[in-house]
Amino acid sequence: MQKTVVYNIKKIRLEKGLTLRQLAEKSGVSNGFISAIENNKQHPTLITLVPIADALEVDVNELFTICSL
């Protein structure tokens, strides 16, 4: 499941044309922490995923949706 979340955050961020810095600013989550999440070095809690999903303008459940890689 963790790989799905990591993949979806990065995929949606890139689809929206956002940089790590822009996502950090919009979500209130640090740039370094988002980078660590995307590189599977940190495991975000639901409390962290909610503002990231809000910043990406998606429902938090979409971060857990398995899609074709």
Side-chain angles (χ1 to χ4, degrees):
M1 178 173 9
Q2 182 63 31
K3 288 183 180 181
T4 299
V5 172
V6 168
Y7 174 79
N8 285 339
I9 290 172
K10 187 169 187 175
K11 176 181 171 287
I12 295 166
R13 176 179 66 79
L14 294 174
E15 285 174 353
K16 303 263 182 182
L18 295 172
T19 64
L20 281 170
R21 178 171 286 149
Q22 289 169 324
L23 179 56
E25 289 172 3
K26 288 180 75 170
S27 67
V29 177
S30 77
N31 183 39
F33 192 63
I34 294 174
S35 176
I37 292 168
E38 287 190 357
N39 288 297
N40 207 23
K41 295 181 180 180
Q42 289 287 337
H43 305 287
T45 64
L46 188 57
I47 292 170
T48 304
L49 290 175
V50 169
I52 291 173
D54 288 345
L56 292 171
E57 300 176 342
V58 298
D59 187 279
V60 72
N61 292 318
E62 193 170 330
L63 299 180
F64 294 93
T65 302
I66 297 172
C67 54
S68 304
L69 297 178

